[in-house]
Amino acid sequence: MALLRVCLEQYARLRAWRTKPEKAEKLDEKGDAAPRDWLNTAGLKRLLPFNRALGEFAHAKRNSKWDGARKLLTEIQVDATPETAIYSARGHAMGIVSGLIWHESIQHVQMLASDVGMVMEEIFNEHRGEGFDGEMNEWFNRVVQFKGMEFGAGIGEA
C-alpha cells in the first residue's frame, strides 16, 4: 500500500504537469512537496482522504492508524457488498490507481502522437469499458465524503 501511495503521487504529478505546468514547475522547484501538494495542484483535492489512508499504510509506527485506513479503503468501494468489501479493498485501490495512471499516460501520449494515443485509448476502453471519466468522477465524489473520517487509535496505542 505504501507503493500505491507513491503511484498516486506520480499520477498527480503527471496530471499537474499536463494541466498546470507553471504551478507544477514551482512545486517541483520547491523540492519538499508532499503527495498532498501534488494532489491539490493537479485539481485532485477530492482524493485527499484516499491519500491519507494510503499514507497510514506507508509507515509502521505506534501511531499508524491502519484500522481506520482499512475502513476507509473498504467504504470507498462503489459496488462491494459489506460482507466482501474488507477482502477486496486493497485490490480495488490498486485497480483505481492503475486505471488513473493508465488514463493519464494516454493523455500525455495523445499530446505527442495523437494516432498512437487514439489506439491506446481504444485498448484502454476495451479493457476498462467506456465512461472511465464519469466513473472516476463518481468515485472521487464518494471519496471526498470521507474527508473528516477519524481513523482512531494507532496500532500501538491502547
Side-chain angles (χ1 to χ4, degrees), residues 13-120:
R13 290 174 74 108
L14 277 170
R15 183 176 163 118
W17 277 102
R18 179 176 60 85
T19 61
K20 300 174 186 172
E22 300 85 16
K23 288 184 178 184
E25 185 173 14
K26 287 180 185 176
L27 195 55
D28 219 10
E29 287 173 356
K30 187 175 156 186
D32 63 348
R36 173 191 66 246
D37 300 325
W38 285 104
L39 288 166
N40 284 332
T41 300
L44 301 167
K45 190 174 184 176
R46 293 178 291 172
L47 294 184
L48 290 176
F50 182 54
N51 178 62
R52 182 174 166 232
L54 295 177
E56 289 297 329
F57 287 116
H59 308 285
K61 302 181 293 189
R62 287 180 48 80
N63 64 344
S64 295
K65 297 173 172 71
W66 291 352
D67 287 342
R70 191 175 299 109
K71 182 171 174 35
L72 184 133
L73 292 181
T74 301
E75 295 289 328
I76 61 175
Q77 296 176 83
V78 176
D79 294 328
T81 64
E83 301 80 33
T84 62
I86 191 69
Y87 303 109
S88 56
R90 290 177 292 176
H92 177 265
M94 286 189 267
I96 290 289
V97 173
S98 66
L100 291 171
I101 292 170
W102 190 1
H103 190 261
E104 186 61 32
S105 297
I106 292 168
Q107 305 307 309
H108 284 266
V109 170
Q110 285 180 336
M111 292 185 324
L112 300 171
S114 61
D115 54 339
V116 175
M118 286 174 35
V119 171
M120 287 177 66

Side-chain angles (χ1 to χ4, degrees), residues 46-47 49-50 76 139-147:
R46 293 178 291 172
L47 294 184
F50 182 54
I76 61 175
W139 185 76
F140 287 7
N141 288 337
R142 182 173 181 84
V143 171
V144 77
Q145 293 174 12
F146 296 91
K147 185 170 103 177

